[in-house]
Amino acid sequence: MRPDDDPADIVVITGLSGAGRSTAAKSLEDLGWFVVDNLPPGLLPTMVDLAARSNGAVTKMAAVVDVRSRAFSTDLKSAISDLGVRRASARVVYLEAADDTLVRRFDSERRPHPLQGTGRVTDGIAAERELLREVRGDADLVLDTSRLNVHELRARMRDFFGGGTATGLRLSIISFGYKYGLPVDADLVADCRFLPNPHWIAELAPLTGKDEPARDYILSQPGAKEFLHHYAELLRVVLPGYEREGKRFVTLAVGCTGGKHRSVAMADELAARIADSGADVQVVHRDLGRE
């Protein structure tokens, strides 16, 4: 890369087979990214070198890399280290899903898991999870696609990468219902079940946390404003620390019982309170509308 060039924006898409890597790659391609599928990790520096010779024609690149050998994790780390020597850095997006979801996807496509050998699909999934454990831990962004359809996954990728080159930290606040399961891609979790549940109030039960009467009720409860104040202050300490450590994406999950009232109102309010923190904040209401 020439010294006078701005560093290219590079995304590495990896994760479990069947979790949506191709869909994620296609969404970036539609956003104008140069995308290479099934690229061996060792060729990442070569891809960057070729882009550097394009005279600015290629500034956003993405590569889909998957399990090729037992040395996959080491190969990927080495390739990303080589990118740093070239004044480039890559963001790693790791896609995963629950075992039952992956099994259904493989069954629907009537194809074997690439690592199952003579065993079952679940054997292949377990082997791949173990092989990718370290890669997942080092990823900048972990996305659980268990409850996302193709269109929703593409929308999430647009939310994260559709605004051009990211220069700061992006915070995703996800409201959820505990009865539907904890978001496995959460970095932080805030539990709002200490607040009274509007579900038990006849006039509020049909509403959601986005409706003013329900929102006002939730925010007026003892402890609600104190919780929001202190949690916002905590984020103002934690988020810059994440950024100093090179983390580009942080997911905060805000939960209540059903993901309809308390978590929705608190997630929206928390986002409003930290809007001036310098982070790019987005809010997703995962379970709204499921009841």
Side-chain angles (χ1 to χ4, degrees):
M1 185 171 293
R2 298 186 306 274
D4 57 338
D5 283 337
D6 291 330
D9 202 7
I10 307 163
V11 169
V12 175
I13 300 172
T14 188
L16 299 176
S17 301
R21 295 181 311 228
S22 295
T23 298
K26 180 62 178 175
S27 67
L28 291 184
E29 195 171 54
D30 290 344
L31 291 169
W33 291 61
F34 176 76
V35 179
V36 179
D37 199 1
N38 292 327
L39 185 74
L43 291 182
L44 278 170
T46 301
M47 182 183 76
V48 173
D49 288 342
L50 291 173
R53 299 171 191 156
S54 69
N55 296 318
V58 178
T59 59
K60 297 186 293 183
M61 295 171 287
V64 180
V65 298
D66 60 7
V67 177
R68 297 292 180 179
S69 70
R70 289 288 167 181
F72 170 81
S73 178
T74 302
D75 291 345
L76 183 57
K77 275 193 169 184
S78 176
I80 291 176
S81 177
D82 285 347
L83 293 181
V85 175
R86 290 165 167 77
R87 293 180 56 251
S89 61
R91 290 173 282 171
V92 178
V93 178
Y94 184 94
L95 302 180
E96 65 180 8
D99 284 8
D100 58 343
T101 300
L102 294 173
V103 170
R104 284 197 302 271
R105 290 175 183 174
F106 277 104
D107 285 347
S108 67
E109 296 181 9
R110 298 185 178 181
R111 63 186 179 95
H113 188 282
L115 294 185
Q116 75 179 76
T118 59
R120 300 179 300 165
V121 171
T122 52
D123 297 325
I125 294 171
E128 191 172 35
R129 282 193 192 280
E130 181 60 30
L131 194 60
L132 296 177
R133 184 185 301 275
E134 189 174 353
V135 174
R136 185 192 188 281
D138 291 337
D140 297 283
L141 173 64
V142 178
L143 279 178
D144 179 13
T145 68
S146 301
R147 294 185 175 89
L148 300 180
N149 60 35
V150 170
H151 306 293
E152 290 168 334
L153 174 55
R154 291 170 73 104
R156 292 295 301 276
M157 292 297 290
R158 287 196 301 271
D159 289 340
F160 283 115
F161 300 106
T165 301
T167 57
L169 182 142
R170 292 192 174 187
L171 172 64
S172 180
I173 301 179
I174 301 177
S175 72
F176 73 97
Y178 276 94
K179 72 179 185 179
Y180 300 116
L182 186 72
V184 299
D185 51 352
D187 298 295
L188 304 166
V189 179
D191 188 349
C192 296
R193 291 176 295 181
F194 70 94
L195 297 170
N197 193 347
H199 173 77
W200 303 112
I201 300 176
E203 61 269 27
L204 298 180
L207 306 178
T208 75
K210 299 188 76 66
D211 294 313
E212 187 173 350
R215 183 178 68 249
D216 289 348
Y217 170 81
I218 294 164
L219 297 181
S220 68
Q221 296 306 305
K225 291 183 179 178
E226 292 82 358
F227 175 87
L228 288 165
H229 170 74
H230 290 298
Y231 211 96
E233 290 303 306
L234 173 66
L235 289 174
R236 292 181 187 279
V237 174
V238 170
L239 295 181
Y242 276 135
E243 192 165 9
R244 286 192 298 271
E245 290 301 308
K247 190 171 178 63
R248 304 284 190 92
F249 305 98
V250 175
T251 298
L252 165 62
V254 181
C256 63
T257 303
K260 179 179 179 181
H261 296 109
R262 294 166 290 180
S263 63
V264 172
M266 298 292 274
D268 282 341
E269 183 65 19
L270 194 55
R273 289 186 178 225
I274 61 171
D276 62 348
S277 66
D280 182 3
V281 183
Q282 62 174 338
V283 181
V284 176
H285 299 301
R286 189 192 76 176
D287 298 325
L288 193 59
R290 294 190 67 170
E291 289 190 347

